[in-house]
Amino acid sequence: MDTGRESRWEKDAMTVEIVFALVTAALLAAAVFGLALVPALLIGRSEPAGRGVLMAGAVLGAAAGIWRLVRVLLSFDAWRREGR
């Protein structure tokens, strides 16, 4: 038996999990940025406060997306190592 190599099913499962992680991370980042966009539009995008809110939204959105990506992939890795 070839125990050192992954089966086709395991490779497909990894691909699906990576795509799922990327899509949900992008959606979360967009949602967080969208929440920051509303106050920035109310304040005015050209005002310094509006620019600051947009910048904070972009940074928080990127951080939330990266957090989601890492969290999903680490939980999949733990699940895979348990042999499920």
Side-chain angles (χ1 to χ4, degrees):
M1 182 177 275
D2 190 12
T3 59
R5 298 180 64 127
E6 297 161 339
S7 69
R8 187 74 205 145
W9 180 87
E10 290 170 326
K11 288 180 182 178
D12 290 345
M14 277 190 263
T15 302
V16 168
E17 198 67 24
I18 289 168
V19 170
F20 172 75
L22 288 171
V23 168
T24 58
L27 290 174
L28 179 64
V32 170
F33 180 73
L35 287 174
L37 184 62
V38 173
L41 290 174
L42 293 174
I43 295 170
R45 289 178 294 153
S46 61
E47 300 294 324
R51 283 190 221 139
V53 171
L54 282 178
M55 184 59 70
V59 169
L60 288 175
I66 291 169
W67 171 78
R68 175 68 179 166
L69 181 69
V70 170
R71 185 171 171 242
V72 169
L73 293 179
L74 286 178
S75 66
F76 177 73
D77 186 51
W79 177 79
R80 189 177 61 88
R81 288 179 190 267
E82 288 177 5
R84 293 185 185 176

